[in-house]
């Protein structure tokens, strides 16, 4: 199978961008021996032009209304942005005409490190060309970095019927697996998601992609399991408030409806807080800035008539825990709050460790053991 | 108490869309599926228990318009309490729109001269943001001139933001009997709670009925925004076969409570004193319930 593709000219401006935007002082600075570590975990958004890469980025990370994405101009050069501030991730939005076989494309730099490659396919279009590109991109990236995780978003499925969605996913899966098998690369694992910016599916998919980049995921999950079982909580999500991406959940199965409810609750609380919260003036000027500085004290309760309660508590500036529990269990709110404090403490410890290395917690715990 | 409300305007101006959003819990995106209204669609909307809005959604195609103005003139324009006339801001046939509007005004003048008239200059989202105020003022002046001697109130609206709620809240406000009485009680409730402000919402539509503000707030559209936010959330609740009941948001320096007040209303209480416990405010709301219920019932007697 020829891996060469001859569509999509590689424009000069894109080339400049890829070269000039190497992460700050990554290779050249001798002062930073662990420079490789400093490189942030990142999501690479790739796919054919007009497949919806930038729209996804705008909707999920900039709270753009899905209707407005019609006016998003096509991306002509690589854009890098910090996203999911709680986890310090970066997203790189590539132009659709990018050619990974071009000699000026620095595969080492792009695909190295802790990276997820998100490939977007327009499901409403003829996707054979996209599959070609997916194949070349995947093989190239795998060669550079076998650790990279490959995530395929079968996008714009809002226009398709349920049967058609399943059929499209099966077909795409089949074709790309066959191709990889022909090249004896069947050890490459691709994950597939059916997504649309008009509903929660895109948030769900991006959440799962991001979770793969979080090294501490198992710890978070474990902490959440402990919290849930000791507080009578049915389901809990740890949300990055700004992006509504959840970075962890307890290990009970995620049911779409409760996820949607919790995610919508974030919207409600965020919007109400931006009206009545402290710096309203600033918030109206720049809706994308965080109007709710938060210090781990804020909380919110929504009661539903079916006996369920949604309980939100801030963990830190960027993270909130959203729990779904029965109203009877919520009567012991004091207990839940106490358990939450312990949980919050543990989560913050994880972040301290992450930031300052293993020595960070020595002072704190040496007393109890010594 | 049944009040006749006429909803008129050119075909495609957005009458049925806004009616569906306000009264039938549509989201803005879903209104694209609505077809053209044929002749008149009647609907009764129960509002605050004893007040019933008898809504006449009049299809706006020219055949129908001619018919309303000529053959059905008495039938349509008799006993009208409120006329809501919707203009499409992007309409290319400005003079023709105005011609029909003036015919309707004439008919109102003849048949129900006490009717209140609201003009909604709709689809404002299609106008560039910087020009919206200017365009609106221009249209408003022209409509006012043409509708003399009847007075009108104009709003610029769009289904994509809170302006639609603003306009409809004002319309509904004008229909509530004894609204001053209600406001006075709301005001004393606000003092008792030591709240910054208290806002009363209608239960199904979440339109603002009345409010009492003791501490000024910079954002004048905040109530409509809250309506919009809660309504969106109610929709997502209904997807999981549940209904929104009450909520509480508390941060360092503010607390917001939204709870059921009477069978027809929700109340929102905004507090800024962090020393007042949530439980105290919740008890105040609970204690106010029967009182406000009686005020509402009292309106039936009058």
């Amino acid at each position: 199978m020829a891996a060469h593709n001859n569509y999509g000219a590689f424009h000069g401006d894109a080339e400049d961008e890829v070269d000039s935007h190497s992460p700050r002082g990554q290779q050249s600075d001798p002062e930073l021996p662990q420079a490789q570590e400093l490189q942030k975990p990142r999501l690479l958004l790739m796919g054919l032009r007009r497949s919806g890469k930038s729209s996804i980025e705008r909707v999920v990370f900039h709270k753009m209304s899905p209707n407005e994405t019609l006016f998003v101009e096509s991306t002509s050069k690589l854009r890098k942005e910090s996203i999911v501030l709680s986890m310090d991730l970066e997203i790189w939005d590539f132009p659709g005409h990018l050619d990974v076989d071009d000699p000026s494309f620095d595969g080492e730099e792009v695909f190295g490190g802790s990276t997820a490659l998100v490939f977007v396919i327009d499901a409403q279009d003829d996707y054979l060309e996209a599959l070609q590109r997916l194949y070349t991109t995947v093989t190239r990236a795998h060669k550079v970095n076998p650790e990279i995780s490959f995530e395929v978003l079968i996008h714009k499925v809002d226009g398709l019927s349920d049967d058609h969605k399943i059929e499209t996913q099966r077909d795409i899966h089949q074709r790309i697996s066959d191709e990889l098998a022909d090249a004896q690369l069947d050890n490459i694992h691709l994950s597939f998601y059916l997504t649309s910016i008009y509903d929660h599916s895109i948030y769900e998919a991006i959440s799962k992609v991001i979770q793969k980049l979080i090294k501490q995921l198992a710890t978070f999950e474990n902490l959440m399991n402990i919290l849930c079982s000791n507080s009578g909580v049915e389901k809990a999500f740890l949300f990055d408030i700004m992006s509504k991406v959840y970075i962890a959940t307890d290990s009970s199965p995620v049911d779409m409806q409760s996820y949607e409810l919790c995610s919508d609750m974030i919207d409600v609380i965020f919007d109400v807080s931006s009206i009545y919260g402290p710096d309203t003036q600033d918030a109206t000027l720049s809706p994308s800035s965080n109007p709710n500085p938060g210090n781990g004290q804020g909380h919110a309760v929504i009661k539903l008539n079916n006996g369920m309660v949604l309980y939100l508590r801030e963990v830190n500036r960027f993270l909130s825990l959203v729990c779904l529990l029965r109203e009877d269990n919520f009567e012991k709110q004091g207990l839940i709050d106490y358990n939450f404090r312990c949980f919050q403490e543990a989560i913050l410890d994880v972040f301290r460790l992450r930031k300052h290395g293993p020595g960070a917690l020595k002072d704190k715990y040496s007393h109890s053991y010594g | 108490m049944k009040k006749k409300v006429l909803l008129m305007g050119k075909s495609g101006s957005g009458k049925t869309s806004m009616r569906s959003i306000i009264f039938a819990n549509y989201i803005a995106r879903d209104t694209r599926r609505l077809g053209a209204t044929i002749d008149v669609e009647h609907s009764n909307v129960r509002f605050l228990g004893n007040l019933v809005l008898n809504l006449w959604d009049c299809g706006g195609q020219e055949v129908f318009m001619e018919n309303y103005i000529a053959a059905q003139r008495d039938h349509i324009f008799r006993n009208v309490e409120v006329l809501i006339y919707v203009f499409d801001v992007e309409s290319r046939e400005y003079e023709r729109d105005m011609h029909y509007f003036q015919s309707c005004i004439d008919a109102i003048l003849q048949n129900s001269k006490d009717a209140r008239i609201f003009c909604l200059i709709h689809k404002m989202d299609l106008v560039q943001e910087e020009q919206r105020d200017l365009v609106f003022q221009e249209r408003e002046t022209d409509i006012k001139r043409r509708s003399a001697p009847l007075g009108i109130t104009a709003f610029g609206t769009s289904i994509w933001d809170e302006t639609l709620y603003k306009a409809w809240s004002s319309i509904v406000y004008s229909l509530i009997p004894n609204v001053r009485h209600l406001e006075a009680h709301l005001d004393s409730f606000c003092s008792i709670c030591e709240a910054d402000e208290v806002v009363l919402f209608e239960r199904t539509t979440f339109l603002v009925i009345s409010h009492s503000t003791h501490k000024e707030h910079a954002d004048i559209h905040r109530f409509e925004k809250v309506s919009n936010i809660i309504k969106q959330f109610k929709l997502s609740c209904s997807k999981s076969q549940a209904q929104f009941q009450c909520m509480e948001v508390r941060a360092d320096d503010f607390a917001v409570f939204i709870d059921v007040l009477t069978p027809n209303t929700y109340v929102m209480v905004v507090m800024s004193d962090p020393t007042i416990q949530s439980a105290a405010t919740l008890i105040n709301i609970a204690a106010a319930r029967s009182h406000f219920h009686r005020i509402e019932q009292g309106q039936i007697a009058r």
Side-chain angles (χ1 to χ4, degrees):
Chain A
M1 184 103 229
H4 184 73
N5 60 358
N6 52 1
Y7 40 79
F10 195 64
H11 290 204
D13 52 358
E15 177 186 341
D16 290 344
E17 205 56 26
V18 172
D19 285 337
S20 65
H21 266 219
S22 67
R24 295 149 290 273
Q26 191 207 346
Q27 278 103 1
S28 53
D29 200 339
E31 299 283 308
L32 298 165
Q34 75 281 48
Q36 203 60 45
E37 239 93 309
L38 281 184
Q39 200 179 29
K40 294 175 178 177
R42 59 187 183 266
L43 250 65
L44 311 175
L45 267 181
M46 293 184 169
L48 293 190
R49 54 185 296 276
R50 304 200 51 79
S51 55
K53 301 174 291 301
S54 300
S55 298
I56 292 175
E57 196 254 345
R58 300 284 161 86
V59 168
V60 178
F61 301 108
H62 294 275
K63 284 191 163 275
M64 181 184 267
S65 139
N67 302 302
E68 288 171 43
T69 57
L70 288 175
F71 309 113
V72 171
E73 288 185 20
S74 77
T75 310
S76 61
K77 50 186 183 179
L78 171 62
R79 286 173 45 246
K80 297 180 183 181
E81 291 209 44
S82 288
I83 49 154
V84 196
L85 296 168
S86 56
M87 286 314 200
D88 211 16
L89 302 187
E90 254 184 9
I91 192 161
W92 293 12
D93 183 9
F94 286 88
H97 52 65
L98 177 89
D99 180 358
V100 290
D101 283 333
D102 191 289
S104 62
F105 176 83
D106 185 354
E108 300 289 330
E109 191 210 313
V110 173
F111 296 128
S114 175
T115 306
L117 195 160
V118 180
F119 195 92
V120 185
I121 297 178
D122 181 349
Q124 294 188 17
D125 203 8
D126 176 26
Y127 47 74
L128 291 180
E129 189 185 336
L131 287 176
Q132 259 300 318
R133 179 79 73 87
L134 172 63
Y135 175 79
T136 37
T137 313
V138 163
T139 45
R140 174 75 201 272
H142 184 73
K143 214 185 294 167
V144 176
N145 179 6
E147 297 291 299
I148 199 166
S149 67
F150 296 105
E151 320 286 343
V152 181
L153 303 189
I154 301 167
H155 195 50
K156 307 193 192 176
V157 291
D158 45 292
L160 307 182
S161 69
D162 283 350
D163 288 348
H164 197 163
K165 280 183 204 173
I166 305 292
E167 181 54 32
T168 309
Q169 174 168 2
R170 202 198 52 76
D171 188 45
I172 288 179
H173 191 163
Q174 188 65 46
R175 283 168 189 268
I176 193 75
S177 310
D178 286 353
E179 240 175 296
L180 289 170
D182 287 349
Q184 302 197 323
L185 286 167
D186 25 13
N187 56 335
I188 297 181
H189 178 72
L190 305 177
S191 308
F192 295 89
Y193 307 87
L194 292 163
T195 59
S196 156
I197 50 171
Y198 290 101
D199 56 32
H200 291 79
S201 57
I202 189 67
Y203 292 95
E204 168 86 5
I206 295 285
S207 297
K208 286 188 172 150
V209 170
I210 283 175
Q211 284 166 26
K212 290 189 188 169
L213 291 177
I214 299 173
K215 292 200 186 79
Q216 296 82 0
L217 183 67
T219 315
F220 289 149
E221 216 174 272
N222 191 21
L223 286 170
M224 296 186 77
N225 284 338
I226 298 170
L227 177 76
C228 287
S229 60
N230 288 311
S231 317
V233 170
E234 309 223 325
K235 187 74 194 156
F237 295 94
L238 191 58
F239 274 100
D240 179 85
I241 316 172
M242 291 306 295
S243 58
K244 287 204 298 168
V245 160
Y246 69 95
I247 60 162
T249 177
D250 62 301
S251 47
S252 67
V254 178
D255 122 60
M256 245 350 235
Q257 280 174 350
S258 35
Y259 165 67
E260 285 178 19
L261 219 48
C262 292
S263 153
D264 288 333
M265 179 184 188
I266 302 239
D267 277 341
V268 173
I269 306 308
F270 188 91
D271 291 347
V272 171
S273 306
S274 65
I275 296 175
Y276 287 105
D279 35 60
T280 358
Q281 267 79 15
D282 294 349
T284 41
L285 283 177
S286 54
S288 60
S289 75
N290 190 351
N292 179 12
N295 52 3
Q297 295 296 323
H299 70 257
V301 185
I302 293 182
K303 290 187 180 167
L304 304 176
N305 75 338
N306 60 355
M308 295 305 281
V309 176
L310 289 161
Y311 188 41
L312 175 146
R313 287 204 69 119
E314 263 176 34
V315 175
N316 65 12
R317 277 187 65 175
F318 306 114
L319 289 177
S320 278
L321 179 81
V322 185
C323 304
L324 193 66
L325 67 163
R326 304 220 138 268
E327 204 167 348
D328 322 345
N329 291 335
F330 193 66
E331 275 166 19
K332 297 180 211 148
Q333 200 190 337
L335 175 77
I336 297 173
D337 284 349
Y338 178 80
N339 286 343
F340 172 78
R341 291 268 169 240
C342 303
F343 170 80
Q344 181 183 27
E345 185 78 354
I347 294 276
L348 296 179
D349 279 351
V350 173
F351 279 103
R352 270 178 224 127
L353 271 176
R354 198 177 129 104
K355 202 167 166 195
H356 303 293
L361 300 175
K362 215 157 62 192
D363 292 347
K364 187 173 169 186
Y365 291 105
S366 59
H367 300 298
S368 40
Y369 297 116
Chain B
M1 208 183 319
K2 227 175 182 183
K3 303 214 170 188
K4 179 170 168 184
V5 178
L6 283 188
L7 190 55
M8 301 189 91
K10 192 175 85 114
S11 171
S13 57
K15 301 175 290 298
T16 309
S17 294
M18 61 169 75
R19 177 173 69 107
S20 308
I21 288 174
I22 299 284
F23 297 106
N25 287 328
Y26 272 58
I27 54 172
R29 189 154 50 89
D30 286 347
T31 58
R32 288 191 190 135
R33 296 191 203 133
L34 292 169
T37 308
I38 304 301
D39 210 11
V40 182
E41 269 179 29
H42 298 268
S43 54
N44 284 322
V45 184
R46 185 166 283 278
F47 204 86
L48 277 182
N50 55 326
L51 175 65
V52 177
L53 303 186
N54 181 16
L55 210 61
W56 293 41
D57 182 359
C58 307
Q61 291 167 39
E62 284 183 20
V63 224
F64 301 139
M65 286 301 261
E66 298 287 354
N67 194 11
Y68 306 144
I69 293 160
Q72 291 189 302
R73 194 179 183 94
D74 284 357
H75 173 64
I76 298 269
F77 291 99
R78 208 172 37 209
N79 295 325
V80 175
E81 294 269 351
V82 172
L83 166 69
I84 302 167
Y85 205 94
V86 184
F87 293 94
D88 178 350
V89 70
E90 290 275 89
S91 171
R92 299 217 180 93
E93 304 163 305
Y94 187 72
E95 280 306 319
R96 195 195 293 254
D97 296 350
M98 285 301 166
H99 163 73
Y100 281 120
F101 173 64
Q102 277 177 308
S103 313
C104 288
I105 291 287
D106 285 345
I108 286 282
L109 196 58
Q110 274 177 10
N111 291 286
S112 16
K113 60 180 175 10
D114 292 328
R116 269 159 295 204
I117 302 167
F118 295 92
C119 295
L120 308 188
I121 299 161
H122 199 45
K123 308 194 185 176
M124 284 302 266
D125 52 298
L126 298 176
V127 179
Q128 279 187 341
E129 209 159 346
E130 313 81 69
Q131 295 183 354
R132 279 181 202 167
D133 284 345
L134 191 72
V135 169
F136 174 70
Q137 274 164 14
E138 232 170 63
R139 295 290 168 93
E140 186 186 25
T141 325
D142 192 37
I143 294 169
K144 281 204 164 137
R145 184 177 60 78
R146 289 173 191 258
S147 48
L150 292 173
I152 63 119
T153 315
F155 294 97
T157 54
S158 156
I159 56 170
W160 300 101
D161 58 30
E162 66 281 348
T163 51
L164 187 66
Y165 286 89
K166 172 93 194 156
W168 277 88
S169 286
S170 313
I171 293 168
V172 163
Y173 180 85
S174 75
L175 285 169
I176 299 168
N178 271 310
V179 73
R180 302 251 174 277
H181 183 58
L182 191 66
E183 258 169 1
H185 283 272
L186 211 57
D187 201 47
S188 51
F189 176 59
C190 187
S191 313
I192 292 168
C193 288
E194 296 182 41
D196 286 2
E197 65 187 355
V198 173
V199 189
L200 204 61
F201 295 96
E202 202 278 330
R203 188 162 182 162
T204 43
T205 57
F206 244 86
L207 291 173
V208 181
I209 296 168
S210 172
H211 71 100
S212 157
T213 302
H214 284 189
K215 192 173 158 198
E216 287 307 312
H217 192 284
D219 186 354
I220 52 164
H221 296 298
R222 62 190 181 281
F223 304 144
E224 290 77 47
K225 283 182 186 161
V226 172
S227 296
N228 211 348
I229 295 164
I230 299 296
K231 232 174 144 175
Q232 292 288 338
F233 187 71
K234 283 175 79 172
L235 283 174
S236 40
C237 287
S238 60
K239 266 190 249 161
S240 21
Q241 281 84 46
Q243 271 165 25
F244 173 80
Q245 200 160 21
C246 63
M247 77 170 216
E248 172 192 337
V249 182
R250 182 175 272 277
D252 268 0
D253 42 9
F254 77 96
V256 176
F257 301 83
I258 297 179
D259 207 342
V260 177
L261 191 64
T262 68
N264 302 303
T265 55
Y266 270 96
V267 71
M268 175 171 82
V269 182
V270 181
M271 313 282 296
S272 62
D273 184 346
T275 60
I276 299 175
Q277 297 289 320
S278 301
T281 310
L282 291 173
I283 286 177
N284 278 331
I285 295 174
R289 277 195 188 115
S290 59
H291 183 68
F292 277 92
H293 191 53
R294 256 178 285 138
I295 295 173
E296 232 179 78
Q297 298 291 312
Q299 289 177 353
I300 298 173
R302 266 168 239 188

